[in-house]
Amino acid sequence: MSNELRYLSLDWISALSAAVESSDHMREIAQQHSLGVTQVVSDGPEGDVTYHLVVGDGSASFGAGPADPEDVKMQQSWQTAVDVATGELNAQEAFINGHILLFGDQQKLLESQPVFGALDAVFSTVRDRTTYA
């Protein structure tokens, strides 16, 4: 059995979900911020993928499907998602150039930047096992 996880596969989402749930730092951030983000990635190897991050009231969850409640929704292609995840493309540039479409409360998203810093630290725990093919 391979220990590798294909980016955005259900196994990858499950591994990241477990890492988010066990992260003290994510819980700390979730005491200071409240945000529900849905990500929709189209045209991937397994078709379209929808997943979410919800933080608030001292808890954080990451998983398949849309956020509930959903403050922000982002849509992007598989290639854009891979390029951002691998550092080939800066996320801000992807927004500015229209590669990532953003819907919802953009101000709340901006105010919640520490959430994404904490998520990136958690993502690093599965990054070395992630493949992007």
Side-chain angles (χ1 to χ4, degrees), residues 93-111:
E93 289 177 28
F95 280 115
I96 292 168
N97 294 326
H99 297 292
I100 299 175
L101 303 178
L102 182 61
F103 306 92
D105 190 340
Q106 296 182 21
Q107 187 60 40
K108 191 166 192 176
L109 182 67
L110 290 172
E111 293 167 357

Side-chain angles (χ1 to χ4, degrees), residues 112-132:
S112 301
Q113 286 307 301
V115 171
F116 297 100
L119 182 62
D120 189 58
V122 171
F123 179 58
S124 71
T125 66
V126 297
R127 187 176 284 134
D128 62 337
R129 294 186 291 146
T130 301
T131 62
Y132 297 90

Side-chain angles (χ1 to χ4, degrees), residues 40-63:
V40 179
V41 178
S42 60
D43 302 323
E46 298 177 14
D48 295 352
V49 175
T50 301
Y51 64 98
H52 69 271
L53 173 69
V54 176
V55 297
D57 297 324
S59 69
S61 69
F62 182 96

Side-chain angles (χ1 to χ4, degrees), residues 2-79:
S2 173
N3 201 21
E4 289 186 346
L5 302 167
R6 182 169 45 186
Y7 184 58
L8 300 182
S9 68
L10 285 176
D11 288 341
W12 181 87
I13 291 171
S14 294
L16 198 50
S17 176
V20 165
E21 288 178 22
S22 66
S23 169
D24 291 335
H25 188 55
M26 286 299 298
R27 282 192 293 277
E28 290 169 17
I29 289 292
Q31 290 174 357
Q32 302 159 18
H33 297 275
S34 175
L35 180 69
V37 178
T38 298
Q39 284 267 16
V40 179
V41 178
S42 60
D43 302 323
E46 298 177 14
D48 295 352
V49 175
T50 301
Y51 64 98
H52 69 271
L53 173 69
V54 176
V55 297
D57 297 324
S59 69
S61 69
F62 182 96
D68 184 19
E70 179 182 279
D71 298 302
V72 177
K73 181 177 180 178
M74 292 184 243
Q75 291 180 307
Q76 60 198 291
S77 70
W78 165 260
Q79 191 59 57

